[in-house]
Amino acid sequence: MNTLRQFSVLPGFGLSLGYTLVYLSLIVLVPISAVFIFTSQLSLSEYWQVVTSPRVMASYQLSFGTSFLAAGINAVFGVLLAWCLVRYSFPGKRIVDALIDLPFALPTAVAGIALTALYAQNGWLGQIIEGYFGIKVAFTPIGILIALVFIGLPFVVRTVQPVLEEIDTELEEAASSLGASRWQACRYVVLPVLLPAIMTGFALAFARAVGEYGSVIFIAGNIPMVSEITPLMIISKLEQYDYTGATAIASVMLIVSFILLLLINLLQSWTAKQTGRNA
Amino acid sequence: MTFKKRLSLLPFIISAAVTSQQLIAKDITLLNVSYDPTRELYQAFNPLFIDYWKQRTGDDVTIKQSHGGAGKQARAVIDGLQADVVTLALAYDIDAIAEKTGNIDSNWEEKLPNNSAPYTSTIVFLVRKGNPKNIKDWDDLVKPDIQVITPNPKSSGGARWNYLAAWGYAEEKYGSKEKAKDYIKQLFKNVPVLDSGARGATNTFVQRGIGDVLLAWENEAFLAINELGPDQFEIVVPSVSILAEPPVAVVDKVAEKHGTKEVAEAYLAYLYSPEAQGLAAKHYYRPVLPALADPKDIARFPEIKTFTVKQKFGSWQQAQKTHFSDGGEFDQIYTVK
């Protein structure tokens, strides 16, 4: 303890750490460890059988794949939105700014039903897309992707926005006065500073998308091996009163998500170091 | 007031609360945990029973209703929801409560007439007005240009009735399990969307305009037509279908603990009274004692040949194991190429 005290300049380290650990345990660790305790009722081979059955495997691919893609799309367009909101002023800017948070506030089931109504064969957008391009959106994995993009959007915008606000336009002006083209200024001056924030936003959007149920379930179509997301597999286990099977799949989701988030965090701190910034 | 003083008051507060409860002990509360499509039926039935009980015993009963997906409701009871009676969509759900909690006697099905199912229904087809695809029977559902809407039997109790109805028909018509399996496989090839619940499937068919035929409980099909207008949809009755028996049971241990066992038993028994049977018919459930209901209501139900789960599949437990468990017949439709 003595050594710790020496390192800490701020008082109250013990108290705040204690509080942090207790709070985290109550809110996060205890419920999550319940998942693993429930799962441990299965033997290893039973566990393996449950979590690798063909339908479940197909659902992992779909859930993690679409979540990753959706987070990627949000990373690109979220930055554009944040850029527009920070750098320009236009009438109604505050309204646009508020609109971005709507996916947070809307009950996900409402979002799901609205999106389905819009993109179904007889919906406004669905009609056009299917009529002109021959692409079915609702009740296919594309529909799932759209729902996940919708719910993940605020994460990237809200993490990038404050960082972008802090960047002085003078930096870009300096770059351009030193002979950099507009593109070079963006690529070598602005982007490196933004990158850690973009990755945080990406990670949040991804994590949210992996666990999403309400908005996806209406638009997915839920055809086994094609458009069943992993949370639906958990629900169908529960409908069969297979509590341990449900927690087994949940544990896989938790472990994979945790590893992916850890990797993204590591990558983020690495890029932060590279660009000499503490994110 | 100091903390100690407050603490010393505590026993008084508790004893006051207890005695006040004893004084109004004749006010009985029953919790009936049911599933979605019975909402209107029990809303109408509960006041009848309250009057009946008041006349018989002088006690006031308050009945609380809880509705939701049948599987979810059963899970809530397993997880500790203090239901005095359950009125669910399939025997399997009540079996699950009995097995997981031990709160329901295992012979619950024999306690009331007709396997403890006071009203029944069956599975029919809802098609678009004029029946443009000319769907008449189960055979037509596997034709290549037909789209069938039914929820996912893994996540929806109602969908399990649909599936078993189709299977039962195919087995009878084609004579073997193998052929029934082929038929079911064909049928689910024609299902473009598997919603997670029955209401979702109805939405897909009605609001999204997807599919040519919706497999639905008869009472739900009647309701859909009533609400959306007979100019849009019509009911097609297949040659044979399954007898859907939504069962009821007292949650014995919970009712004993609440001291409500007597009234809970009377509540369920009253479902077989002339008043309740008439009410069931009015709400498009087929009463098990049709002679007691209004003949006009009964006349709305078309003649249909039905089979029960017991006749074709042995029991719900067996049907569940063969068809809907992991790796069962339903999974094989999609995983075995």
Side-chain angles (χ1 to χ4, degrees), chain B residues 4-315:
Chain B
K4 248 191 182 163
K5 258 191 190 159
R6 263 189 240 172
L7 205 64
S8 66
L9 276 178
L10 204 61
F12 293 103
I13 296 170
I14 291 173
S15 64
V18 170
T19 45
S20 70
Q21 213 175 23
Q22 276 165 353
L23 285 175
I24 54 163
K26 289 295 171 189
D27 271 334
I28 309 161
T29 305
L30 268 192
L31 175 60
N32 175 10
V33 171
S34 192
Y35 64 112
D36 269 327
T38 58
R39 195 182 307 262
E40 293 78 16
L41 173 62
Y42 281 103
Q43 245 167 30
F45 171 72
N46 288 345
L48 285 188
F49 176 75
I50 290 168
D51 282 350
Y52 161 79
W53 194 248
K54 177 95 183 162
Q55 273 175 13
R56 210 181 106 175
T57 64
D59 294 347
D60 286 314
V61 198
T62 314
I63 297 160
K64 288 196 209 147
Q65 282 291 142
S66 160
H67 295 274
K72 259 188 216 93
Q73 293 292 82
R75 259 194 340 272
V77 175
I78 290 173
D79 293 341
L81 181 63
Q82 297 286 304
D84 300 284
V85 296
V86 286
T87 52
L88 295 172
L90 27 103
Y92 178 69
D93 289 327
I94 297 185
D95 279 340
I97 300 172
E99 190 189 322
K100 301 253 169 193
T101 65
N103 285 344
I104 298 177
D105 297 344
S106 56
N107 65 342
W108 63 268
E109 240 179 328
E110 294 146 26
K111 288 190 177 172
L112 289 163
N114 191 42
N115 301 322
S116 290
Y119 40 80
T120 66
S121 192
T122 186
I123 304 298
V124 296
F125 306 159
L126 194 68
V127 298
R128 301 192 188 280
K129 188 71 195 172
N131 198 358
K133 294 275 174 98
N134 197 24
I135 295 161
K136 296 271 176 240
D137 205 352
W138 294 99
D139 286 341
D140 299 317
L141 304 186
V142 294
K143 288 183 179 158
D145 63 331
I146 301 287
Q147 284 195 323
V148 184
I149 303 296
T150 177
N152 190 335
K154 300 278 270 198
S155 58
S156 157
R160 278 173 228 163
W161 288 107
N162 297 352
Y163 173 104
L164 293 178
W167 182 285
Y169 164 83
E171 207 182 302
E172 195 168 298
K173 167 115 190 203
Y174 305 116
S176 79
K177 284 199 163 44
E178 281 311 304
K179 295 217 172 105
K181 198 170 169 171
D182 287 343
Y183 170 86
I184 286 282
K185 200 163 182 166
Q186 263 339 98
L187 176 65
F188 276 89
K189 274 211 180 102
N190 284 350
V191 179
V193 181
L194 281 169
D195 283 284
S196 57
R199 281 280 156 98
T202 310
N203 253 335
T204 300
F205 182 72
V206 170
Q207 312 285 353
R208 304 284 94 77
I210 293 175
D212 303 303
V213 50
L214 172 76
L215 304 186
W217 283 54
E218 187 179 49
N219 59 307
E220 288 281 279
F222 271 118
L223 271 186
I225 287 187
N226 259 9
E227 269 165 40
L228 305 157
D231 51 326
Q232 290 193 49
F233 303 100
E234 53 188 76
I235 292 175
V236 171
V237 180
S239 62
V240 59
S241 191
I242 200 161
L243 184 70
E245 298 171 290
V248 300
V250 174
V251 186
D252 302 276
K253 294 260 168 66
V254 175
E256 271 160 32
K257 200 175 78 190
H258 293 175
T260 52
K261 185 142 188 198
E262 191 196 351
V263 56
E265 276 168 354
Y267 179 75
L268 295 186
Y270 195 63
L271 284 168
Y272 293 84
S273 70
E275 293 83 0
Q277 292 285 302
L279 215 53
K282 202 162 272 150
H283 287 88
Y284 307 110
Y285 282 99
R286 293 179 180 228
V288 293
L289 306 165
L292 300 179
D294 187 344
K296 258 190 286 174
D297 288 337
I298 298 295
R300 294 185 300 197
F301 300 119
E303 282 284 322
I304 181 168
K305 216 178 102 194
T306 56
F307 53 84
T308 63
V309 171
K310 275 217 174 71
Q311 284 162 4
K312 290 270 179 208
F313 304 95
S315 71

Side-chain angles (χ1 to χ4, degrees), chain A residues 98-110:
Chain A
L99 272 180
I100 286 170
D101 286 329
L102 267 191
F104 273 153
L106 203 63
T108 52
V110 176

Side-chain angles (χ1 to χ4, degrees), chain A residues 24-68:
Chain A
L24 264 185
S25 303
L26 279 178
I27 303 292
V28 180
L29 280 179
V30 170
I32 285 181
S33 46
V35 168
F36 289 97
I37 291 166
F38 246 108
T39 311
S40 65
Q41 291 174 2
L42 292 172
S43 75
L44 206 60
S45 65
E46 283 171 331
Y47 178 79
W48 193 247
Q49 214 178 0
V50 169
V51 301
T52 59
S53 74
R55 275 176 75 199
V56 178
M57 290 299 272
S59 82
Y60 296 141
Q61 214 181 345
L62 181 73
S63 265
F64 287 109
T66 48
S67 299
F68 209 77

Side-chain angles (χ1 to χ4, degrees), chain A residues 50 54-55 113 116-118 120-122 136 139 213 217-218 220-225 228 232 235-243, chain B residues 71-72 74-75 78-79 92-93 96 100 152 154-155 160 191-196 204 207-210 320 324-326 331 334-335:
Chain A
V50 169
R55 275 176 75 199
I113 290 170
T116 313
L118 208 54
Q121 287 164 349
N122 62 355
K136 276 197 173 100
F139 313 120
Y213 179 75
I217 211 64
F218 295 97
N222 309 324
I223 301 293
M225 309 298 288
E228 277 185 322
L232 176 68
I235 298 284
S236 34
K237 292 268 179 215
L238 285 177
E239 289 294 330
Q240 297 168 68
Y241 307 105
D242 182 3
Y243 285 63
Chain B
K72 259 188 216 93
R75 259 194 340 272
I78 290 173
D79 293 341
Y92 178 69
D93 289 327
K100 301 253 169 193
N152 190 335
K154 300 278 270 198
S155 58
R160 278 173 228 163
V191 179
V193 181
L194 281 169
D195 283 284
S196 57
T204 300
Q207 312 285 353
R208 304 284 94 77
I210 293 175
Q320 179 73 27
F324 309 121
S325 63
D326 289 327
D331 276 358
Y334 291 98
T335 52

